[in-house]
Amino acid sequence: MMNKIKTKNKHVIRRLLLLLLLLSAWLCLGWADSWEGIRAAAGNVNAISADFVQEKHLPILAKPLVSNGRFVYRRPDSLRWEYFSPVKSILLMIDGKARRFVQSEQGLVEDVGARMQAMRFVMPEIGGWLSGRFEDNPMFDARLEENGRIVLIPKDEGMARFIQRIELHLSERPGVIQQVLIFEGEKAYTRMQFTDIQVNPVIEDRLFREVQ
């Protein structure tokens, strides 16, 4: 039972880290070649939204596992991260409080178990991620490379066992991430690509409170 809980926590922490990395990088409206420029640009965005396609590649799979969804974020701490398929799930955050719902035979059911415990582990890191301070985070060594790429290497040996590195590929369009790659092994990785990107849209509170 404990091994199952640890495995669930591992996957949730990986997903939440990806989420926080995405939000912090999306805040960079003016493309910069320095950490100082990235941090300075982080204050220019009040809200963002985008559709995404997530691909999970594993050596044992002939085809990747594909998920589709959309996220909406509004400063300072409101978020809706929703998967439409293959299994519907919704993460809602508002006023610093988080709730997660997963599709079941009874409809969307709130998750109050191990996954939410893992989420509380990551939540304190939000402020640092959203300020664009990649290089100051104690969890990763960050490199800002040429051709619009940020590379993050886990410092903790425990985390490095299930995340080797994370790459953020920036678009030529200022303020847009083209794709994110999480490398979990030699041939195991997760890719996330984005479309229909909107910066500073008007967002109603109900999107962060209602599951429908």
Side-chain angles (χ1 to χ4, degrees), residues 96-109:
K97 299 178 181 179
R99 303 175 70 191
R100 183 174 182 269
F101 300 84
V102 181
Q103 186 70 45
S104 70
E105 294 181 355
Q106 293 75 37
L108 286 167
V109 177

Side-chain angles (χ1 to χ4, degrees), residues 75-112:
R75 280 186 181 270
D77 54 10
S78 297
L79 171 73
R80 183 186 182 98
W81 186 273
E82 183 171 3
Y83 285 90
F84 301 137
S85 66
V87 178
K88 185 177 180 62
S89 67
I90 305 174
L91 171 66
L92 300 177
M93 288 172 47
I94 190 167
D95 299 329
K97 299 178 181 179
R99 303 175 70 191
R100 183 174 182 269
F101 300 84
V102 181
Q103 186 70 45
S104 70
E105 294 181 355
Q106 293 75 37
L108 286 167
V109 177
E110 187 167 3
D111 179 4
V112 295

